[in-house]
Structure formats: C-alpha cells, structure tokens
Amino acid sequence: MALAEGRLVFVGLGLHDERSITLRGMDAIRQADVVFAESYTSILSEGSLSRLESATGKKIQLLDRTAVEDGKTILDACKSSRVVLLVVGDPMMATTHVDLRLRAEMQSVSTEVVHGVSVLTAVPGSLGLQHYKFGRTTSLPFPQEGYSPTSPYDTIAENLSRGLHTLVLLDIDAENSKYMTANEGLHLLQDMERRTSKLIITEATLVCVVARAGSPEACVRAGRISGLVNMDFGPTPHSIVIPGRLHFMEEEALRTLADHNAALSPEKE
Amino acid sequence: MALAEGRLVFVGLGLHDERSITLRGMDAIRQADVVFAESYTSILSEGSLSRLESATGKKIQLLDRTAVEDGKTILDACKSSRVVLLVVGDPMMATTHVDLRLRAEMQSVSTEVVHGVSVLTAVPGSLGLQHYKFGRTTSLPFPQEGYSPTSPYDTIAENLSRGLHTLVLLDIDAENSKYMTANEGLHLLQDMERRTSKLIITEATLVCVVARAGSPEACVRAGRISGLVNMDFGPTPHSIVIPGRLHFMEEEALRTLADHNAALSPEKE
C-alpha cells in the first residue's frame, strides 16, 4: 500500500449508539488507515464500537485519557496515514480535541472535522425548549475533597435573572464508568443553594431532566425539584435543564412531552 | 399492506448534503410509509434529496411553508401511516416543528425525534471556540420596510459585557433561495452600531465567519470586521460569531484554523 499523506479526521459519533454516526462519518472510517476512539470524555452504549467495526470492516483502537492528552500515538500515526479519531457527540467540545487538532496542523498534518449529533441541541430539542432562549451552558463536576465550586450555580442565577434557560451538563468519568445521575446533580444544586442562600433553586423550582438523549428510549421529565430529585430516570447519561421564563408553547411542550403538571408552572412570559 | 399505527418521526438531515444524515435517520426513512421534507427553514445543497431518494428507495415529497405551518397534509397522513418529516439540521429548532409535534401528540399520534448535526455546535467547533463560553444565540433577519430591530445587537452587547461569545445566525428565505451572506450580516451589525452608538462593534472588533459549516469545503475566517466585511467567503450558508474574551487556546485556534492575525487580537482573558 502506498503511503498516504498524513491526515487526521475527527469524526463525531453522535449520541447513544453507533446508529447516530453520519454517512459522512462512515465514509471517513472506511477511507481511514487507522481508526482510534477516545474512551474518556464519553462512551456509547455497550457493543456500539464492535458493531461499528463489523459494519466498516475496520479495527477500532481504544485510547485512554493519557493517550489522547499526550497525543503521541495519534500524531505519530498521522505522519504517513489517514487517521480517524472517533469522539462521542460533536467533536471539538473538549479542549483536548482542539489542542490535538492544532498540534496536528502545526506538524503540517491536514485535519478535518466530521460533525456529529450533540447533547447541546438534542436536550433542548427533546424538551421542546427554544435554543435562542438558552443562556450560557454549565456543567456539574463530581464533588472532590476540597473542590466543590458553586460557579455552576452562579451561571444558573445569571441566566434566570435574564429569563433564560440553562443546560446543566453532568460530569462523566467514562474510564471508571461513572456518569453523574440527574438525582446526584439535583442534590448538588440543592446543596449549592444551602451553601449560598441565594434562593435561586427552592423546593418549588421547575427543573427538567433528559435521560439518554438521542436514544429511542430517551426519558424526558419536568416538574418541581422536590418531585424529581428522587425520581428514577433509568440508565445514564442524564442531563438537567433549569428553565427560565417559558413561552406558552414551551410550557405546552413540557406538559405534553415531559409529564409536566401545568398547575406547577412558574412565572410565565 | 396492513395499516400501521399512526406515527410521526422528525428526522434531522444535518448540514450541507445528504451525507450528514445519521444511520438512525436512514433507518427511519426506510421504515416510513410517507416521507416529507420541509423546504422553508433551510435546504441542503442541490441534488441532495434526490440522492437520498435513490439511496433509500423512497419518494420524498417537498412541503412549503404553508403546508408545514398548517400541518394538515402531515397530520392527515399520520392517521394510519408511519410518516417521516425531514428537517435540515437538528429538528425542533423552529417553533413550527414543536407546534406540529404537539398537535400530533394531542391527536394520539406517537412522535419521535431523530436528532441531526446542528449549526449550533458545528460553527463553534469549526472555529475551535469553547461551547461553554457562548452566551445567548441571536439571529439577524432580512431588513424589512418598517422592521429592522436592534435586539440582536443588544444580545451581542450583553454577552460581550460578560466576556461571552455570540453565535449570530443569518436569515434564510429558503423558498426564495435567499440566504443572508456574512457580508450582509456584518453590514447590518455596522448599521446597528451607527443607529445605537453603543461602541460595541467598531472597525477593530474581532469577528469570525464560518461558511458552509459541516461541509468538507467549509471556510473559516477571523479578523477585524473592517477586513472581513468585504471578503468573499464563497457560497452560502454563512454564520457569524462575535467572540468575547478569548482563552489562549481559542486564540491559537483562530490563528491556526481561521487565518487570524494574532497581532489584531483583542482583549485577552
């Protein structure tokens, strides 16, 4: 086989399983000499990558956090091969991927991004909430000894003060198969309220949960936090949305799609 | 053929052409009795739908704005058939689609969303800008007699005051094949500055343009507005990003991926 020009293509796997990849992503895998998948920012449901191997006839090599951050294995392979790096969701959401792309470009490796379905649009869309009414996205990290910032709470407060919704992404420690549940996330938010006494999230606050966004078995719920905090949403991944002012169509959507009891609805637009 | 249970599946076509659809989207088309595509919120490049027809063996019926907003054709078909409505990008971004979904659910038609690649994540990702540093998204409508709001400018100002980036979507009048160019959009922003004198966007303001996001021929540029306002970005669709405070990796990304001259970079984080 003749040596190909070095090339690195980031391919978004989308959400849930291997059926969320695009046709363009499949083309990129089929044309690749080497296919890596990173397994630490997020992973698909079990068996997805092996089914993707069967469908494309390519071996997929799993890379852990160190290998992706260090980048040597990938960049070495790019010198003379067409390399694909598979990433869950839409690539370039993590700084590590941007860093890797820039390092490849600086070594004269041509790069390309094949975009994928992202939780950033799938979650608002599943709830019927309007994208232009979302403020800054935030994320909740797993609490660590001596590190439990309340900055996500500040973001929610800032968005709410402007009537905007907040998408709250929940921490993933994919290498240890730990996904934060919406229940843990809601508990953390209640804890932030206790620590800051800002009266942002009270027992009556309307919250939304989307579990398994992008899967045919997605679960979509809205209600008072007191009602949702102990609800069972099934397997992870989960996401939370704290809605701001709701347009009547958004309220109708939560009622119809997310089992939201209209009597509990908050301030209207 | 036995009458199927009524079912309406919104399938995201993703961006640029038919290669951006997901495998799950292809499955949905193949299992459908009737396939519609809406042609007014956005369209794919020429020939995409007919290639999709060939690949799936299904006839795709184009619906105009009136037919989608009115919804009768679609909802009538759902009574006894499995119906797919194809939408560019990720469905549910337009209120019309949410409205249609709710009306179907109220008529006991089961609905599903097959998510697609969206400009909302593809544009930030193409530029190497971090999603959690974006504030509220805004959009620029084509100016009309007696209607040229400066509210998009307020959103940009509000985001900038908090150091956040703004994604500026440009108007699409797909039925008349009119896509706003980044040049028109930048002129409109300059005009809003003239009308409001807020000193938000001056000649030296750093702006980014992404043309044909999601296509292999995407064009990504960053620079002072005075340099970009008359630049040729090639065929539409175009999008604009007004960056807030840049992290050093974001600045590096604009320099490497978007031909941005570092000497022109604005306030750093």
Side-chain angles (χ1 to χ4, degrees):
Chain A
M1 187 179 62
L3 285 182
E5 284 245 333
R7 185 163 180 75
L8 176 57
V9 186
F10 295 82
V11 173
L13 287 169
L15 303 172
H16 183 60
D17 66 14
E18 82 285 357
R19 306 303 293 168
S20 187
I21 196 172
T22 64
L23 299 182
R24 183 169 284 118
M26 291 293 277
D27 294 342
I29 297 176
R30 291 200 176 100
Q31 291 160 8
D33 301 312
V34 184
V35 183
F36 296 112
E38 67 101 316
S39 61
Y40 83 93
T41 59
S42 188
I43 50 169
L44 296 179
S45 61
E46 211 182 321
S48 297
L49 288 186
S50 57
R51 288 191 295 270
L52 197 54
E53 285 184 326
S54 306
T56 58
K58 298 280 179 176
K59 174 93 192 102
I60 299 174
Q61 302 175 48
L62 264 190
L63 296 179
D64 62 13
R65 183 191 193 107
T66 317
V68 179
E69 286 184 349
D70 160 87
K72 197 171 172 324
T73 311
I74 299 170
L75 293 172
D76 278 355
C78 292
K79 282 182 186 153
S80 55
S81 307
R82 301 165 67 103
V83 175
V84 159
L85 177 63
L86 301 172
V87 178
V88 171
D90 194 10
M92 300 298 133
M93 294 294 117
T95 314
T96 315
H97 306 145
V98 178
D99 181 45
L100 190 61
R101 184 176 186 192
L102 298 182
R103 286 161 67 197
E105 288 278 342
M106 280 166 211
Q107 295 178 21
S108 302
V109 170
S110 70
T111 63
E112 191 189 336
V113 180
V114 177
H115 294 284
V117 173
S118 172
V119 69
L120 296 181
T121 58
V123 166
S126 304
L127 289 160
L129 297 179
Q130 293 303 298
H131 69 89
Y132 63 88
K133 292 183 63 191
F134 277 75
R136 187 180 194 172
T137 298
T138 190
S139 52
L140 288 177
F142 281 117
Q144 290 180 341
E145 198 62 39
Y147 179 71
S148 55
T150 56
S151 52
Y153 208 61
D154 298 336
T155 301
I156 294 170
E158 201 170 281
N159 287 337
L160 281 177
S161 73
R162 298 155 69 213
L164 301 179
H165 313 322
T166 309
L167 171 60
V168 183
L169 301 175
L170 304 177
D171 203 1
I172 293 173
D173 177 2
E175 297 200 307
N176 295 306
S177 301
K178 272 178 67 186
Y179 280 69
M180 187 185 288
T181 64
N183 312 88
E184 291 174 85
L186 294 173
H187 274 299
L188 285 175
L189 292 176
Q190 289 181 317
D191 182 55
M192 289 177 194
E193 175 58 40
R194 274 189 291 272
R195 287 156 59 200
T196 60
S197 300
K198 288 189 174 179
L199 289 176
I200 302 299
I201 292 189
T202 65
E203 290 299 295
T205 301
L206 177 67
V207 298
C208 309
V209 169
V210 177
R212 301 172 299 288
S215 121
E217 289 82 36
C219 164
V220 174
R221 293 289 177 269
R224 286 187 179 166
I225 192 169
S226 54
L228 263 62
V229 70
N230 293 316
M231 195 178 275
D232 182 6
F233 304 107
T236 53
H238 296 172
S239 303
I240 294 172
V241 169
I242 311 293
R245 274 192 297 276
L246 292 169
H247 183 268
F248 77 92
M249 175 104 58
E250 294 181 309
E251 198 176 301
E252 195 59 39
L254 294 187
R255 210 177 291 135
T256 308
L257 307 172
D259 282 351
H260 174 48
N261 181 338
L264 302 177
S265 65
E267 181 190 7
K268 291 175 196 176
E269 197 166 64
Chain B
M1 186 179 62
L3 284 184
E5 283 245 331
R7 184 162 181 77
L8 176 57
V9 185
F10 296 82
V11 173
L13 286 169
L15 304 172
H16 184 60
D17 66 15
E18 82 287 357
R19 306 303 291 168
S20 188
I21 194 173
T22 64
L23 299 182
R24 182 169 287 118
M26 291 293 277
D27 294 342
I29 297 176
R30 292 199 176 103
Q31 292 159 7
D33 302 312
V34 184
V35 182
F36 296 111
E38 67 100 318
S39 61
Y40 84 92
T41 59
S42 188
I43 50 168
L44 296 179
S45 62
E46 209 181 324
S48 298
L49 288 186
S50 57
R51 288 190 297 270
L52 197 54
E53 286 183 326
S54 306
T56 58
K58 299 280 178 175
K59 174 95 191 100
I60 299 173
Q61 302 176 48
L62 265 189
L63 296 180
D64 63 13
R65 182 188 194 109
T66 317
V68 180
E69 287 184 346
D70 162 85
K72 198 172 173 322
T73 312
I74 299 170
L75 293 171
D76 279 354
C78 292
K79 280 182 188 152
S80 55
S81 307
R82 301 164 68 103
V83 175
V84 159
L85 177 64
L86 301 172
V87 178
V88 172
D90 193 10
M92 302 297 133
M93 295 295 117
T95 313
T96 315
H97 305 146
V98 178
D99 181 44
L100 191 61
R101 185 177 184 194
L102 298 182
R103 287 162 66 197
E105 287 279 342
M106 279 167 214
Q107 295 178 21
S108 301
V109 170
S110 71
T111 64
E112 190 189 339
V113 180
V114 177
H115 294 284
V117 174
S118 171
V119 70
L120 296 182
T121 59
V123 166
S126 305
L127 289 160
L129 298 179
Q130 293 302 299
H131 68 89
Y132 63 87
K133 293 183 63 191
F134 277 76
R136 187 179 193 171
T137 298
T138 190
S139 52
L140 289 177
F142 281 116
Q144 289 180 342
E145 197 66 36
Y147 178 70
S148 55
T150 56
S151 52
Y153 207 61
D154 298 335
T155 301
I156 294 170
E158 200 170 280
N159 288 337
L160 280 177
S161 73
R162 298 156 68 214
L164 301 178
H165 313 321
T166 309
L167 171 60
V168 184
L169 300 175
L170 304 177
D171 203 2
I172 294 173
D173 177 2
E175 298 201 304
N176 295 306
S177 302
K178 271 179 69 187
Y179 281 69
M180 187 185 288
T181 64
N183 313 88
E184 290 173 86
L186 293 172
H187 275 298
L188 284 175
L189 292 177
Q190 289 181 318
D191 182 55
M192 289 179 194
E193 175 59 42
R194 273 190 291 273
R195 286 156 59 200
T196 61
S197 301
K198 289 190 176 182
L199 289 177
I200 303 297
I201 292 187
T202 65
E203 290 300 294
T205 300
L206 177 67
V207 299
C208 309
V209 169
V210 177
R212 302 171 300 288
S215 120
E217 289 83 37
C219 165
V220 173
R221 293 288 177 269
R224 285 186 178 167
I225 193 168
S226 53
L228 262 62
V229 71
N230 292 317
M231 195 178 276
D232 181 6
F233 305 105
T236 52
H238 295 173
S239 303
I240 294 172
V241 170
I242 311 294
R245 274 193 298 277
L246 293 169
H247 183 268
F248 77 92
M249 176 104 58
E250 294 181 309
E251 198 175 300
E252 195 59 40
L254 294 187
R255 210 177 290 136
T256 307
L257 306 173
D259 282 351
H260 173 48
N261 182 340
L264 301 179
S265 65
E267 183 191 5
K268 288 174 197 175
E269 198 167 63

